[in-house]
Amino acid sequence: MDQKGFQEYRDQKEQTINAMSPGELLLLLYDELVKRLMQAELALGKENYPLFEASVGRSLEIIRYLDDTLDRQYPISSNLAKLYEFFSYELQRVKAGRNKTELERVKKMASELRDTFREAQKNVEAMERSPEQTGAPEAAGAMK
């Protein structure tokens, strides 16, 4: 790919990301986290340790970013921070010991958390589209 084509691709990708809502960006991060954990699991199974370590390392970076961007004014943020700390601790152990069982457990928990946020995002979008039908227009505004 030539430099001009790459720059156009990069600009288009940046525009797409800039147009996303905070909820969509959060889901994108969780999707990437689960993808990297799955990649780590496959690499571990194939004994491709450089890819395994890179995938776990990228997963840790995503978790760190999620933790750094928490809005600490909400009570749920402290619970999420503890969960991210747990994920980080377990993934450090997974990386050091190449522990497939713990990796599967963290991947399952991250997938469930992603699915929970996906469902919450759907609910917010539904409320924003038709707050009069849900009977809670104030809630839609509070969840932005």
Side-chain angles (χ1 to χ4, degrees), residues 4 8 27 35 40 42 70 81 85 113 121 124 134 140:
K4 183 180 178 192
E8 288 174 3
L27 288 175
K35 178 181 120 182
L42 292 171
L70 279 174
E85 183 179 337
L113 188 58
Q121 179 66 21
V124 168
T134 63

Side-chain angles (χ1 to χ4, degrees), residues 82-107:
K82 289 174 187 173
L83 188 58
Y84 295 151
E85 183 179 337
F86 171 77
F87 285 168
S88 293
Y89 175 78
E90 289 300 315
L91 286 176
Q92 290 291 348
R93 289 182 51 213
V94 163
K95 192 174 181 180
R98 298 181 178 153
N99 187 328
K100 185 176 181 177
T101 304
E102 289 304 312
L103 177 58
E104 289 171 351
R105 188 165 71 113
V106 171
K107 184 186 80 171

